[in-house]
Amino acid sequence: MITRSLIPCGAAAVVLALAVGASATPANAATPRPTNLRQVVESLSGPDGAPGALAQTHDRHGRLTATSGVADIRTNTPVNPRSRFRIGSLTKPFVATVVLQLVGEGRVELDAPVERYLPGVVRGADNDGRQITVRQLLQHTSGLPDVLDYMSPLEVLKDPLRHWEARELVDIALPHQREFEPGKGWGYSNTNYLLAGMIIESATGHPYGEEIRRRVIRPLGLHDTFVPTDAPGIPGPHPRGYVRPQSDLVDITRLNPTVAGAGGGMISSASDLNRFMAAVLRGRLLKPAQLREMLTTRPTGRTSGSEYGLGLEWIPVKNSSTCKDGFWSHDGDMLGFSVRTGATTHGRQATVMVNLNPGGGPALDEAMKATLPDALCGT
């Protein structure tokens, strides 16, 4: 089944929701769109994948959305093309954007020590907020240990509705040795962004979620995007979120997102994430100086050759007329959901979601690695 509706996007544009097995070309496209979304979602769902999958691209021609599998394994309800879902670490670009806005307002300094904004908070083992800067938090060059290295998902499954304070989570990580001397390496750490959220509150007097709503969500009209604090549900149409601790799927849709906080607690949709990425790269949210800071990268050391800026990662791509030399991206993994979002500098965005995490196995892991290059740069 194919559904169509017209939306404004400069000129008229076409939104298509494809059930797997159908095919369509936007009526206003002069040539076939460079996409293989049907293959993307097929590779993500099924016996070796997640219960359900969704992929959406957006460019000057409009949106193309493909879904596969089911949103609920009990009812076999298909995945809604307008689904909302937990976005995990895709919360980080939102947090980084707000911190950089505060930099542009002179309320935070990127190269000031964390100690200035959070006196006495970063202590433990050889971790010291007097030696770590705000920039190093946002770029994952602080060396701080990752709280998730010392928290098992099974612990959360035992009490999914428990409230967690950001300081409580930070204090789980800080007694452990740092990974490297600040500024001397790169290492992804959720602890960095828990602290960045605390800095937003210190600088503004408001919770990080309130500032994200005021500065990003409302100005961009992101009607599917939420910072839910303690609310355990996902409002509006959404798939169930599953984990596979052993052989069977466990429904973890309802949980208290404070367990991820500023490192990964938000909810959004594919269309909202694509709009957000476009707005960031077009300079709608940051002044030119702060956007340059965000997009100034350093190598991650990953085999992909990726480089990390301040809340965004640059993924190099070879031999692609669509993506040229690469695209900006971020992953988002949260209990129940795994999401990938990316955008080219030439105005194309893509988001891919599956409703299983963790427990997908090697086949799903490999398929997820290929999702954004396929969706953004495929032919």
Side-chain angles (χ1 to χ4, degrees), residues 230-285:
D230 284 290
I234 301 175
H238 63 273
R240 310 300 295 178
Y242 298 97
V243 299
R244 185 183 281 125
Q246 295 179 352
S247 59
D248 297 327
L249 293 174
V250 175
D251 189 328
I252 191 63
T253 307
R254 288 180 60 82
L255 60 79
N256 190 321
T258 58
V259 71
M266 289 178 64
I267 291 167
S268 192
S269 66
S271 58
D272 271 12
L273 288 173
N274 288 341
R275 185 183 303 178
F276 168 71
M277 289 291 286
V280 169
L281 295 180
R282 291 171 183 163
R284 289 186 57 191
L285 294 171

Side-chain angles (χ1 to χ4, degrees), residues 277 281 294-295 297 309 312-314 326-330 341-343 345:
M277 289 291 286
L281 295 180
M294 174 177 263
L295 304 184
T297 61
L312 287 178
E313 188 170 11
W314 175 254
F327 58 87
W328 292 99
S329 173
H330 211 286
T341 292
T345 57

Side-chain angles (χ1 to χ4, degrees), residues 35 51 57 132 159 184 247 298 305 314 316:
T35 182
T57 59
I132 298 168
D159 189 5
K184 301 297 185 182
S247 59
R298 65 162 296 157
W314 175 254

Side-chain angles (χ1 to χ4, degrees), residues 99-109 116-117 287 290:
V99 173
L100 286 166
Q101 287 180 347
L102 294 172
V103 171
E105 296 165 11
R107 300 166 76 177
V108 172
E109 290 185 28
R116 178 183 298 180
Y117 307 102
K287 298 175 182 178
Q290 280 70 59

Side-chain angles (χ1 to χ4, degrees), residues 92 122 137 140 142 144-148 150 169-174 188-198 263:
K92 292 179 173 70
V122 181
L137 294 181
H140 295 298
S142 70
L144 290 173
D146 188 350
V147 60
L148 291 189
Y150 306 99
L169 293 166
V170 167
D171 286 346
I172 291 173
L174 293 182
Y188 192 89
S189 174
N190 288 279
T191 310
N192 290 325
Y193 274 77
L194 292 169
L195 291 166
M198 294 168 68

Side-chain angles (χ1 to χ4, degrees), residues 175-187:
H176 301 277
Q177 295 290 318
R178 68 190 182 191
E179 300 295 324
F180 48 83
E181 184 180 341
K184 301 297 185 182
W186 188 90

Side-chain angles (χ1 to χ4, degrees), residues 289-356:
Q290 280 70 59
L291 182 58
R292 284 194 298 270
E293 297 282 13
M294 174 177 263
L295 304 184
T296 299
T297 61
R298 65 162 296 157
T300 64
R302 293 172 172 172
T303 55
S304 64
S306 66
E307 299 185 358
Y308 203 91
L310 305 184
L312 287 178
E313 188 170 11
W314 175 254
I315 309 295
V317 175
K318 296 180 180 179
N319 303 320
S320 169
S321 60
T322 305
C323 289
K324 302 299 182 183
D325 53 349
F327 58 87
W328 292 99
S329 173
H330 211 286
D331 295 352
D333 291 321
M334 179 61 161
L335 288 170
F337 298 93
S338 188
V339 187
R340 306 288 182 266
T341 292
T344 72
T345 57
H346 306 287
R348 184 177 173 90
Q349 305 89 40
T351 294
V352 181
M353 178 279 300
V354 296
N355 60 340
L356 173 64

